[in-house]
Amino acid sequence: MTLKAGQRVVLAADTRLTDSAEVSGVVIGFLSLAAGTGGAVEQVVAHRDESDEVREYERLKSLLDAFGGEMPTESRRQLEEKVGSLEPAWTAFQEQPPRVSVRVRFDNGFILDGAHETLFVPA
């Protein structure tokens, strides 16, 4: 499911927003929103979580593509081996879908930002 800015949504399940507050070891409360609470999507952001290996692959591959032809043979071979060893991480990264988070302004005025889109269903 892909949400869009301006779309009406409701919470799919009860969502706890804070840990419980305690005073002298007694739980006095916590903050949550009930399933079915409605609001409008204000912002949708797709995130690609890159590992260190993915960033290193991108850096080294760019270096190889830009300067590989000018590099000494042994240096180029070592760089190609390193890029090759990082390719499985790059392939796995390319195959995973982006994580989508949303900002929703609820009808009660509360704003939930950075929430995973799967918390919501279209209204």
Side-chain angles (χ1 to χ4, degrees), residues 36-111:
T37 302
V41 176
E42 289 190 337
Q43 181 181 28
V44 179
V45 179
H47 306 273
R48 300 291 308 236
D49 296 326
E50 295 182 348
S51 66
D52 291 339
E53 290 88 6
V54 168
R55 283 190 290 281
E56 184 69 354
Y57 174 87
E58 290 175 321
R59 185 182 75 79
L60 295 178
K61 180 72 167 121
S62 176
L63 182 65
L64 182 62
D65 291 346
F67 302 105
E70 303 168 17
M71 297 175 92
T73 305
E74 184 60 23
S75 296
R76 185 176 59 247
R77 184 191 64 73
Q78 288 176 359
L79 184 56
E80 287 169 344
E81 285 178 5
K82 183 65 175 171
V83 168
S85 72
L86 294 169
E87 277 187 31
W90 174 252
T91 301
F93 170 74
Q94 293 293 85
E95 292 172 352
Q96 68 181 335
R99 182 179 58 84
V100 178
S101 65
V102 294
R103 172 188 287 188
V104 174
R105 180 180 299 272
F106 291 97
D107 298 338
N108 63 9
F110 192 82
I111 297 173

Side-chain angles (χ1 to χ4, degrees), residues 24-47:
S24 301
V26 176
V27 175
I28 59 170
F30 59 89
L31 179 62
S32 67
L33 291 171
T37 302
V41 176
E42 289 190 337
Q43 181 181 28
V44 179
V45 179
H47 306 273

